[in-house]
Amino acid sequence: MSARVGFFILLVSFVLLGVTKVCDAGLLSKNFYQKSCSQAEKLVRDITRNKTQTDSTLGAKLLRVHYHDCFVKGCDASILLDRVGTNQSEKEARPNLSLSGFEVIDDIKSQIEKVCPGVVSCADILALAARDSVSFPFKEPVWDVLTGRRDGRISLASEANGNLPSPFSDFNTLKQLFARKNLTVNDLVALSGAHTIGVAHCGAFSRRLFNFTGKGDTDPSINATYAESLKKQCPNPANPNTTVAMDPQSSLSFDTQYFTTLNQNKGLFQSDAALLTDRVSAKIVKQLQVPKDFFSEFGKSMKKMGAMEVLTGNAGEIRKNCRIVN
C-alpha cells in the first residue's frame, strides 16, 4: 500500500469490541493514555480549541496534514519530520509544500512533554488535534479517534508523490490508490467531503480553466458560470500566492455544502468532478448531501484512515520533538 523501495508491508486490520488491531505490533484503543497520561487528550483538546478560536482556518490545515501523513507510510507523524542532511523530508515534497499548522503540533507536544515526558506520540497528537480543530464549532467530537500510535523514524519526499491523491486524478486513478490503502469508494467520497473547508492554490486547478486538453480550452464538465468566476480570481498564468475557497459557499464551515456544490458541477478540482463520472460514487455524492449520513460516513472513514499502517507496541518511537527523531 506504500511505495516503499525494496519491500511491501501487508496490513491486516480488524475491529473487535471497539479495539483496532494492526498486524501484530499492538493495539489502537480508546483512551490509550488513561493510565500513562490521563490528561493527554484534554490538553490536546484545550490547546487546539484555543488556537482555533484565533484561527478559523486551523481545522482545514490540521486535517490536511493528518491526511497527508496517513497516506504516506501510514499515520506515523513522518510528515512532521524536518530534513536530515541532504535527504528531503515528506514536508518538502511538492504536494506538501502548502501544508501548514506544524507549529500548533509543536506547541501541543511541548506542553504535553512538560506533564508526561516521553509518553504521548506525535502521531496521536496530530490525529487528535485534527479532530478537535474541525470539531470546535460543534462543541463535541465529529469523529472518534483511537490512540496508541507510535512515531516513525523515516521521512522521505520521494515517497510522497506516488501515495498522495492528486487534484488532477481521474476516478479510476483515485479508486486504485484508495484500494491500495484498503479504503473503499465510499471512503473516497466521504473523505473528499473534507474539501468543504479550506483553500487551494490556483495551480491546482488552472489547467481545467485554461488548457484542459492542451488546446486552450476549459473542462466542459465544470459549471460555466463557476468557471468564469474562477478565471477572474485566478487569471492565467496562475499566481502561486493566490488561493481560492474549495467550497465556494462555506469554506469555513464543516458541512455538506461540498456535495451540494459538486452536484451543481462546481467541484474545484478535476478529482472532485471525477466523483460524478462513476455511477456508484455519484450515487454516494447525492446520499452524503444529507448531514446525518455525511457525518456518520465521514467519521467511519476517518477512523479507518487513522488506522492505516500505524506503528504500535514496540515499533517506532515516542519522539521528544515532533520535528526530529530521538
Side-chain angles (χ1 to χ4, degrees), residues 105-141:
I105 304 302
D106 292 337
D107 190 17
I108 296 171
K109 178 63 172 176
S110 175
Q111 296 301 317
I112 288 182
E113 283 295 302
K114 292 176 183 178
V115 180
C116 305
V119 174
V120 183
S121 70
C122 298
D124 277 342
I125 290 173
L126 176 56
L128 290 165
R131 188 270 311 275
D132 293 339
S133 57
V134 172
S135 301
F136 173 72
F138 301 94
K139 308 304 180 187
E140 63 180 6

PDB file of all heavy atoms in Angstrom, residues 105-141:
ATOM      1  N   ILE A 105       1.155  21.763  16.378  1.00  0.00           N
ATOM      2  CA  ILE A 105       1.538  20.442  16.888  1.00  0.00           C
ATOM      3  C   ILE A 105       2.766  20.567  17.785  1.00  0.00           C
ATOM      4  O   ILE A 105       2.851  19.922  18.845  1.00  0.00           O
ATOM      5  CB  ILE A 105       1.820  19.467  15.727  1.00  0.00           C
ATOM      6  CG1 ILE A 105       0.593  19.379  14.788  1.00  0.00           C
ATOM      7  CG2 ILE A 105       2.176  18.081  16.271  1.00  0.00           C
ATOM      8  CD1 ILE A 105      -0.674  18.938  15.467  1.00  0.00           C
ATOM      9  N   ASP A 106       3.719  21.411  17.387  1.00  0.00           N
ATOM     10  CA  ASP A 106       4.913  21.641  18.213  1.00  0.00           C
ATOM     11  C   ASP A 106       4.520  22.158  19.594  1.00  0.00           C
ATOM     12  O   ASP A 106       5.061  21.718  20.618  1.00  0.00           O
ATOM     13  CB  ASP A 106       5.832  22.672  17.545  1.00  0.00           C
ATOM     14  CG  ASP A 106       6.472  22.159  16.268  1.00  0.00           C
ATOM     15  OD1 ASP A 106       6.581  20.928  16.105  1.00  0.00           O
ATOM     16  OD2 ASP A 106       6.876  22.994  15.442  1.00  0.00           O
ATOM     17  N   ASP A 107       3.595  23.097  19.614  1.00  0.00           N
ATOM     18  CA  ASP A 107       3.175  23.703  20.879  1.00  0.00           C
ATOM     19  C   ASP A 107       2.490  22.670  21.779  1.00  0.00           C
ATOM     20  O   ASP A 107       2.773  22.580  22.975  1.00  0.00           O
ATOM     21  CB  ASP A 107       2.234  24.877  20.602  1.00  0.00           C
ATOM     22  CG  ASP A 107       1.962  25.705  21.847  1.00  0.00           C
ATOM     23  OD1 ASP A 107       2.730  25.577  22.830  1.00  0.00           O
ATOM     24  OD2 ASP A 107       0.986  26.483  21.851  1.00  0.00           O
ATOM     25  N   ILE A 108       1.596  21.891  21.197  1.00  0.00           N
ATOM     26  CA  ILE A 108       0.899  20.855  21.974  1.00  0.00           C
ATOM     27  C   ILE A 108       1.901  19.850  22.533  1.00  0.00           C
ATOM     28  O   ILE A 108       1.853  19.482  23.706  1.00  0.00           O
ATOM     29  CB  ILE A 108      -0.148  20.133  21.105  1.00  0.00           C
ATOM     30  CG1 ILE A 108      -1.248  21.108  20.661  1.00  0.00           C
ATOM     31  CG2 ILE A 108      -0.766  18.963  21.869  1.00  0.00           C
ATOM     32  CD1 ILE A 108      -2.200  20.528  19.641  1.00  0.00           C
ATOM     33  N   LYS A 109       2.815  19.411  21.683  1.00  0.00           N
ATOM     34  CA  LYS A 109       3.820  18.430  22.110  1.00  0.00           C
ATOM     35  C   LYS A 109       4.646  18.985  23.263  1.00  0.00           C
ATOM     36  O   LYS A 109       4.903  18.288  24.265  1.00  0.00           O
ATOM     37  CB  LYS A 109       4.721  18.065  20.932  1.00  0.00           C
ATOM     38  CG  LYS A 109       5.844  17.080  21.267  1.00  0.00           C
ATOM     39  CD  LYS A 109       5.309  15.732  21.727  1.00  0.00           C
ATOM     40  CE  LYS A 109       6.447  14.731  21.867  1.00  0.00           C
ATOM     41  NZ  LYS A 109       5.987  13.428  22.411  1.00  0.00           N
ATOM     42  N   SER A 110       5.053  20.248  23.153  1.00  0.00           N
ATOM     43  CA  SER A 110       5.858  20.878  24.193  1.00  0.00           C
ATOM     44  C   SER A 110       5.128  20.901  25.531  1.00  0.00           C
ATOM     45  O   SER A 110       5.710  20.588  26.577  1.00  0.00           O
ATOM     46  CB  SER A 110       6.221  22.299  23.764  1.00  0.00           C
ATOM     47  OG  SER A 110       6.911  22.974  24.788  1.00  0.00           O
ATOM     48  N   GLN A 111       3.842  21.236  25.497  1.00  0.00           N
ATOM     49  CA  GLN A 111       3.047  21.299  26.727  1.00  0.00           C
ATOM     50  C   GLN A 111       2.849  19.910  27.340  1.00  0.00           C
ATOM     51  O   GLN A 111       2.914  19.743  28.560  1.00  0.00           O
ATOM     52  CB  GLN A 111       1.688  21.945  26.438  1.00  0.00           C
ATOM     53  CG  GLN A 111       1.758  23.405  25.988  1.00  0.00           C
ATOM     54  CD  GLN A 111       2.422  24.295  27.023  1.00  0.00           C
ATOM     55  OE1 GLN A 111       2.169  24.185  28.217  1.00  0.00           O
ATOM     56  NE2 GLN A 111       3.299  25.174  26.549  1.00  0.00           N
ATOM     57  N   ILE A 112       2.629  18.917  26.495  1.00  0.00           N
ATOM     58  CA  ILE A 112       2.422  17.554  26.997  1.00  0.00           C
ATOM     59  C   ILE A 112       3.723  16.978  27.566  1.00  0.00           C
ATOM     60  O   ILE A 112       3.700  16.277  28.580  1.00  0.00           O
ATOM     61  CB  ILE A 112       1.848  16.647  25.892  1.00  0.00           C
ATOM     62  CG1 ILE A 112       0.382  17.015  25.624  1.00  0.00           C
ATOM     63  CG2 ILE A 112       1.960  15.173  26.267  1.00  0.00           C
ATOM     64  CD1 ILE A 112      -0.301  16.167  24.590  1.00  0.00           C
ATOM     65  N   GLU A 113       4.839  17.288  26.935  1.00  0.00           N
ATOM     66  CA  GLU A 113       6.121  16.784  27.425  1.00  0.00           C
ATOM     67  C   GLU A 113       6.422  17.296  28.832  1.00  0.00           C
ATOM     68  O   GLU A 113       7.096  16.619  29.614  1.00  0.00           O
ATOM     69  CB  GLU A 113       7.248  17.176  26.470  1.00  0.00           C
ATOM     70  CG  GLU A 113       7.325  16.330  25.211  1.00  0.00           C
ATOM     71  CD  GLU A 113       7.663  14.880  25.505  1.00  0.00           C
ATOM     72  OE1 GLU A 113       8.714  14.608  26.111  1.00  0.00           O
ATOM     73  OE2 GLU A 113       6.856  13.998  25.138  1.00  0.00           O
ATOM     74  N   LYS A 114       5.924  18.476  29.155  1.00  0.00           N
ATOM     75  CA  LYS A 114       6.151  19.029  30.495  1.00  0.00           C
ATOM     76  C   LYS A 114       5.413  18.212  31.561  1.00  0.00           C
ATOM     77  O   LYS A 114       5.855  18.120  32.702  1.00  0.00           O
ATOM     78  CB  LYS A 114       5.674  20.476  30.556  1.00  0.00           C
ATOM     79  CG  LYS A 114       6.501  21.445  29.719  1.00  0.00           C
ATOM     80  CD  LYS A 114       5.903  22.845  29.763  1.00  0.00           C
ATOM     81  CE  LYS A 114       6.684  23.807  28.874  1.00  0.00           C
ATOM     82  NZ  LYS A 114       6.077  25.174  28.885  1.00  0.00           N
ATOM     83  N   VAL A 115       4.305  17.621  31.170  1.00  0.00           N
ATOM     84  CA  VAL A 115       3.467  16.866  32.106  1.00  0.00           C
ATOM     85  C   VAL A 115       3.766  15.378  32.059  1.00  0.00           C
ATOM     86  O   VAL A 115       3.850  14.710  33.103  1.00  0.00           O
ATOM     87  CB  VAL A 115       1.967  17.114  31.802  1.00  0.00           C
ATOM     88  CG1 VAL A 115       1.088  16.334  32.768  1.00  0.00           C
ATOM     89  CG2 VAL A 115       1.649  18.601  31.865  1.00  0.00           C
ATOM     90  N   CYS A 116       3.906  14.851  30.837  1.00  0.00           N
ATOM     91  CA  CYS A 116       4.123  13.408  30.651  1.00  0.00           C
ATOM     92  C   CYS A 116       5.256  13.196  29.648  1.00  0.00           C
ATOM     93  O   CYS A 116       5.009  12.882  28.478  1.00  0.00           O
ATOM     94  CB  CYS A 116       2.855  12.738  30.127  1.00  0.00           C
ATOM     95  SG  CYS A 116       1.377  13.004  31.118  1.00  0.00           S
ATOM     96  N   PRO A 117       6.493  13.375  30.071  1.00  0.00           N
ATOM     97  CA  PRO A 117       7.611  13.258  29.128  1.00  0.00           C
ATOM     98  C   PRO A 117       7.746  11.857  28.541  1.00  0.00           C
ATOM     99  O   PRO A 117       7.664  10.855  29.254  1.00  0.00           O
ATOM    100  CB  PRO A 117       8.826  13.625  29.992  1.00  0.00           C
ATOM    101  CG  PRO A 117       8.398  13.395  31.405  1.00  0.00           C
ATOM    102  CD  PRO A 117       6.942  13.718  31.433  1.00  0.00           C
ATOM    103  N   GLY A 118       7.932  11.816  27.212  1.00  0.00           N
ATOM    104  CA  GLY A 118       8.195  10.552  26.535  1.00  0.00           C
ATOM    105  C   GLY A 118       7.053   9.565  26.501  1.00  0.00           C
ATOM    106  O   GLY A 118       7.291   8.368  26.347  1.00  0.00           O
ATOM    107  N   VAL A 119       5.821  10.043  26.605  1.00  0.00           N
ATOM    108  CA  VAL A 119       4.670   9.132  26.681  1.00  0.00           C
ATOM    109  C   VAL A 119       3.749   9.229  25.470  1.00  0.00           C
ATOM    110  O   VAL A 119       3.345   8.216  24.892  1.00  0.00           O
ATOM    111  CB  VAL A 119       3.847   9.399  27.970  1.00  0.00           C
ATOM    112  CG1 VAL A 119       2.570   8.548  27.977  1.00  0.00           C
ATOM    113  CG2 VAL A 119       4.684   9.118  29.208  1.00  0.00           C
ATOM    114  N   VAL A 120       3.388  10.438  25.074  1.00  0.00           N
ATOM    115  CA  VAL A 120       2.383  10.653  24.034  1.00  0.00           C
ATOM    116  C   VAL A 120       3.044  10.900  22.680  1.00  0.00           C
ATOM    117  O   VAL A 120       3.895  11.787  22.547  1.00  0.00           O
ATOM    118  CB  VAL A 120       1.464  11.837  24.389  1.00  0.00           C
ATOM    119  CG1 VAL A 120       0.366  12.001  23.329  1.00  0.00           C
ATOM    120  CG2 VAL A 120       0.844  11.626  25.769  1.00  0.00           C
ATOM    121  N   SER A 121       2.658  10.132  21.684  1.00  0.00           N
ATOM    122  CA  SER A 121       3.285  10.228  20.369  1.00  0.00           C
ATOM    123  C   SER A 121       2.815  11.445  19.597  1.00  0.00           C
ATOM    124  O   SER A 121       1.700  11.944  19.780  1.00  0.00           O
ATOM    125  CB  SER A 121       2.996   8.971  19.551  1.00  0.00           C
ATOM    126  OG  SER A 121       1.623   8.922  19.173  1.00  0.00           O
ATOM    127  N   CYS A 122       3.663  11.890  18.699  1.00  0.00           N
ATOM    128  CA  CYS A 122       3.308  12.990  17.793  1.00  0.00           C
ATOM    129  C   CYS A 122       2.197  12.551  16.847  1.00  0.00           C
ATOM    130  O   CYS A 122       1.342  13.353  16.464  1.00  0.00           O
ATOM    131  CB  CYS A 122       4.526  13.423  17.001  1.00  0.00           C
ATOM    132  SG  CYS A 122       5.888  14.056  18.016  1.00  0.00           S
ATOM    133  N   ALA A 123       2.208  11.268  16.476  1.00  0.00           N
ATOM    134  CA  ALA A 123       1.182  10.734  15.575  1.00  0.00           C
ATOM    135  C   ALA A 123      -0.200  10.832  16.210  1.00  0.00           C
ATOM    136  O   ALA A 123      -1.186  11.198  15.548  1.00  0.00           O
ATOM    137  CB  ALA A 123       1.496   9.290  15.216  1.00  0.00           C
ATOM    138  N   ASP A 124      -0.296  10.511  17.495  1.00  0.00           N
ATOM    139  CA  ASP A 124      -1.574  10.629  18.196  1.00  0.00           C
ATOM    140  C   ASP A 124      -1.973  12.089  18.393  1.00  0.00           C
ATOM    141  O   ASP A 124      -3.149  12.441  18.278  1.00  0.00           O
ATOM    142  CB  ASP A 124      -1.513   9.920  19.555  1.00  0.00           C
ATOM    143  CG  ASP A 124      -1.751   8.417  19.452  1.00  0.00           C
ATOM    144  OD1 ASP A 124      -2.295   7.970  18.422  1.00  0.00           O
ATOM    145  OD2 ASP A 124      -1.386   7.699  20.402  1.00  0.00           O
ATOM    146  N   ILE A 125      -1.006  12.929  18.700  1.00  0.00           N
ATOM    147  CA  ILE A 125      -1.301  14.361  18.869  1.00  0.00           C
ATOM    148  C   ILE A 125      -1.877  14.929  17.584  1.00  0.00           C
ATOM    149  O   ILE A 125      -2.867  15.671  17.599  1.00  0.00           O
ATOM    150  CB  ILE A 125      -0.030  15.126  19.290  1.00  0.00           C
ATOM    151  CG1 ILE A 125       0.358  14.765  20.726  1.00  0.00           C
ATOM    152  CG2 ILE A 125      -0.245  16.640  19.165  1.00  0.00           C
ATOM    153  CD1 ILE A 125       1.697  15.343  21.170  1.00  0.00           C
ATOM    154  N   LEU A 126      -1.280  14.582  16.441  1.00  0.00           N
ATOM    155  CA  LEU A 126      -1.772  15.076  15.159  1.00  0.00           C
ATOM    156  C   LEU A 126      -3.179  14.568  14.878  1.00  0.00           C
ATOM    157  O   LEU A 126      -4.057  15.343  14.460  1.00  0.00           O
ATOM    158  CB  LEU A 126      -0.824  14.643  14.036  1.00  0.00           C
ATOM    159  CG  LEU A 126      -1.246  15.001  12.610  1.00  0.00           C
ATOM    160  CD1 LEU A 126      -1.497  16.506  12.463  1.00  0.00           C
ATOM    161  CD2 LEU A 126      -0.188  14.545  11.605  1.00  0.00           C
ATOM    162  N   ALA A 127      -3.425  13.288  15.120  1.00  0.00           N
ATOM    163  CA  ALA A 127      -4.761  12.716  14.887  1.00  0.00           C
ATOM    164  C   ALA A 127      -5.810  13.379  15.762  1.00  0.00           C
ATOM    165  O   ALA A 127      -6.916  13.699  15.302  1.00  0.00           O
ATOM    166  CB  ALA A 127      -4.735  11.209  15.138  1.00  0.00           C
ATOM    167  N   LEU A 128      -5.477  13.607  17.021  1.00  0.00           N
ATOM    168  CA  LEU A 128      -6.420  14.230  17.957  1.00  0.00           C
ATOM    169  C   LEU A 128      -6.639  15.706  17.627  1.00  0.00           C
ATOM    170  O   LEU A 128      -7.773  16.202  17.641  1.00  0.00           O
ATOM    171  CB  LEU A 128      -5.901  14.089  19.391  1.00  0.00           C
ATOM    172  CG  LEU A 128      -5.928  12.681  19.988  1.00  0.00           C
ATOM    173  CD1 LEU A 128      -5.063  12.616  21.241  1.00  0.00           C
ATOM    174  CD2 LEU A 128      -7.357  12.247  20.308  1.00  0.00           C
ATOM    175  N   ALA A 129      -5.557  16.423  17.329  1.00  0.00           N
ATOM    176  CA  ALA A 129      -5.668  17.849  17.045  1.00  0.00           C
ATOM    177  C   ALA A 129      -6.450  18.113  15.763  1.00  0.00           C
ATOM    178  O   ALA A 129      -7.215  19.075  15.679  1.00  0.00           O
ATOM    179  CB  ALA A 129      -4.276  18.477  16.952  1.00  0.00           C
ATOM    180  N   ALA A 130      -6.289  17.233  14.763  1.00  0.00           N
ATOM    181  CA  ALA A 130      -7.062  17.381  13.526  1.00  0.00           C
ATOM    182  C   ALA A 130      -8.548  17.247  13.826  1.00  0.00           C
ATOM    183  O   ALA A 130      -9.374  18.054  13.381  1.00  0.00           O
ATOM    184  CB  ALA A 130      -6.623  16.330  12.506  1.00  0.00           C
ATOM    185  N   ARG A 131      -8.888  16.233  14.624  1.00  0.00           N
ATOM    186  CA  ARG A 131     -10.288  16.027  15.007  1.00  0.00           C
ATOM    187  C   ARG A 131     -10.820  17.207  15.832  1.00  0.00           C
ATOM    188  O   ARG A 131     -11.919  17.724  15.579  1.00  0.00           O
ATOM    189  CB  ARG A 131     -10.397  14.718  15.793  1.00  0.00           C
ATOM    190  CG  ARG A 131     -11.826  14.247  16.110  1.00  0.00           C
ATOM    191  CD  ARG A 131     -12.392  14.757  17.425  1.00  0.00           C
ATOM    192  NE  ARG A 131     -11.538  14.607  18.565  1.00  0.00           N
ATOM    193  CZ  ARG A 131     -11.453  13.493  19.321  1.00  0.00           C
ATOM    194  NH1 ARG A 131     -12.179  12.446  19.052  1.00  0.00           N
ATOM    195  NH2 ARG A 131     -10.635  13.465  20.376  1.00  0.00           N
ATOM    196  N   ASP A 132     -10.038  17.644  16.802  1.00  0.00           N
ATOM    197  CA  ASP A 132     -10.514  18.681  17.719  1.00  0.00           C
ATOM    198  C   ASP A 132     -10.643  20.050  17.048  1.00  0.00           C
ATOM    199  O   ASP A 132     -11.530  20.828  17.388  1.00  0.00           O
ATOM    200  CB  ASP A 132      -9.578  18.776  18.929  1.00  0.00           C
ATOM    201  CG  ASP A 132      -9.633  17.527  19.803  1.00  0.00           C
ATOM    202  OD1 ASP A 132     -10.630  16.790  19.715  1.00  0.00           O
ATOM    203  OD2 ASP A 132      -8.672  17.283  20.561  1.00  0.00           O
ATOM    204  N   SER A 133      -9.774  20.340  16.087  1.00  0.00           N
ATOM    205  CA  SER A 133      -9.868  21.628  15.390  1.00  0.00           C
ATOM    206  C   SER A 133     -11.096  21.680  14.495  1.00  0.00           C
ATOM    207  O   SER A 133     -11.777  22.714  14.415  1.00  0.00           O
ATOM    208  CB  SER A 133      -8.596  21.894  14.575  1.00  0.00           C
ATOM    209  OG  SER A 133      -8.356  20.852  13.645  1.00  0.00           O
ATOM    210  N   VAL A 134     -11.403  20.569  13.828  1.00  0.00           N
ATOM    211  CA  VAL A 134     -12.612  20.509  12.990  1.00  0.00           C
ATOM    212  C   VAL A 134     -13.862  20.517  13.867  1.00  0.00           C
ATOM    213  O   VAL A 134     -14.887  21.116  13.512  1.00  0.00           O
ATOM    214  CB  VAL A 134     -12.588  19.250  12.095  1.00  0.00           C
ATOM    215  CG1 VAL A 134     -13.923  19.083  11.366  1.00  0.00           C
ATOM    216  CG2 VAL A 134     -11.443  19.325  11.086  1.00  0.00           C
ATOM    217  N   SER A 135     -13.777  19.890  15.033  1.00  0.00           N
ATOM    218  CA  SER A 135     -14.939  19.737  15.919  1.00  0.00           C
ATOM    219  C   SER A 135     -15.263  20.987  16.724  1.00  0.00           C
ATOM    220  O   SER A 135     -16.353  21.087  17.304  1.00  0.00           O
ATOM    221  CB  SER A 135     -14.698  18.574  16.893  1.00  0.00           C
ATOM    222  OG  SER A 135     -14.470  17.362  16.214  1.00  0.00           O
ATOM    223  N   PHE A 136     -14.339  21.941  16.779  1.00  0.00           N
ATOM    224  CA  PHE A 136     -14.501  23.113  17.643  1.00  0.00           C
ATOM    225  C   PHE A 136     -15.869  23.793  17.528  1.00  0.00           C
ATOM    226  O   PHE A 136     -16.520  24.057  18.543  1.00  0.00           O
ATOM    227  CB  PHE A 136     -13.379  24.123  17.373  1.00  0.00           C
ATOM    228  CG  PHE A 136     -13.557  25.423  18.090  1.00  0.00           C
ATOM    229  CD1 PHE A 136     -13.371  25.510  19.465  1.00  0.00           C
ATOM    230  CD2 PHE A 136     -13.936  26.572  17.400  1.00  0.00           C
ATOM    231  CE1 PHE A 136     -13.544  26.715  20.141  1.00  0.00           C
ATOM    232  CE2 PHE A 136     -14.108  27.773  18.058  1.00  0.00           C
ATOM    233  CZ  PHE A 136     -13.913  27.847  19.436  1.00  0.00           C
ATOM    234  N   PRO A 137     -16.373  24.074  16.314  1.00  0.00           N
ATOM    235  CA  PRO A 137     -17.673  24.751  16.225  1.00  0.00           C
ATOM    236  C   PRO A 137     -18.840  23.923  16.756  1.00  0.00           C
ATOM    237  O   PRO A 137     -19.884  24.473  17.106  1.00  0.00           O
ATOM    238  CB  PRO A 137     -17.834  25.018  14.719  1.00  0.00           C
ATOM    239  CG  PRO A 137     -16.461  24.903  14.156  1.00  0.00           C
ATOM    240  CD  PRO A 137     -15.787  23.868  14.995  1.00  0.00           C
ATOM    241  N   PHE A 138     -18.665  22.605  16.814  1.00  0.00           N
ATOM    242  CA  PHE A 138     -19.763  21.719  17.209  1.00  0.00           C
ATOM    243  C   PHE A 138     -19.806  21.449  18.712  1.00  0.00           C
ATOM    244  O   PHE A 138     -20.773  20.895  19.226  1.00  0.00           O
ATOM    245  CB  PHE A 138     -19.651  20.380  16.458  1.00  0.00           C
ATOM    246  CG  PHE A 138     -19.691  20.515  14.957  1.00  0.00           C
ATOM    247  CD1 PHE A 138     -18.511  20.605  14.231  1.00  0.00           C
ATOM    248  CD2 PHE A 138     -20.900  20.584  14.291  1.00  0.00           C
ATOM    249  CE1 PHE A 138     -18.536  20.746  12.844  1.00  0.00           C
ATOM    250  CE2 PHE A 138     -20.936  20.720  12.908  1.00  0.00           C
ATOM    251  CZ  PHE A 138     -19.751  20.807  12.191  1.00  0.00           C
ATOM    252  N   LYS A 139     -18.722  21.801  19.406  1.00  0.00           N
ATOM    253  CA  LYS A 139     -18.629  21.593  20.862  1.00  0.00           C
ATOM    254  C   LYS A 139     -18.670  20.122  21.256  1.00  0.00           C
ATOM    255  O   LYS A 139     -18.913  19.788  22.408  1.00  0.00           O
ATOM    256  CB  LYS A 139     -19.738  22.371  21.596  1.00  0.00           C
ATOM    257  CG  LYS A 139     -19.810  23.847  21.233  1.00  0.00           C
ATOM    258  CD  LYS A 139     -18.492  24.568  21.468  1.00  0.00           C
ATOM    259  CE  LYS A 139     -18.581  26.040  21.093  1.00  0.00           C
ATOM    260  NZ  LYS A 139     -17.263  26.724  21.162  1.00  0.00           N
ATOM    261  N   GLU A 140     -18.474  19.239  20.308  1.00  0.00           N
ATOM    262  CA  GLU A 140     -18.385  17.810  20.571  1.00  0.00           C
ATOM    263  C   GLU A 140     -17.604  17.161  19.436  1.00  0.00           C
ATOM    264  O   GLU A 140     -17.531  17.720  18.339  1.00  0.00           O
ATOM    265  CB  GLU A 140     -19.773  17.169  20.696  1.00  0.00           C
ATOM    266  CG  GLU A 140     -20.602  17.247  19.433  1.00  0.00           C
ATOM    267  CD  GLU A 140     -21.979  16.597  19.615  1.00  0.00           C
ATOM    268  OE1 GLU A 140     -22.302  16.200  20.748  1.00  0.00           O
ATOM    269  OE2 GLU A 140     -22.701  16.482  18.620  1.00  0.00           O
ATOM    270  N   PRO A 141     -16.985  16.004  19.679  1.00  0.00           N
ATOM    271  CA  PRO A 141     -16.168  15.365  18.638  1.00  0.00           C
ATOM    272  C   PRO A 141     -16.992  14.976  17.409  1.00  0.00           C
ATOM    273  O   PRO A 141     -18.056  14.380  17.541  1.00  0.00           O
ATOM    274  CB  PRO A 141     -15.608  14.123  19.339  1.00  0.00           C
ATOM    275  CG  PRO A 141     -15.713  14.418  20.804  1.00  0.00           C
ATOM    276  CD  PRO A 141     -16.943  15.258  20.958  1.00  0.00           C
TER     277      PRO A 141
END
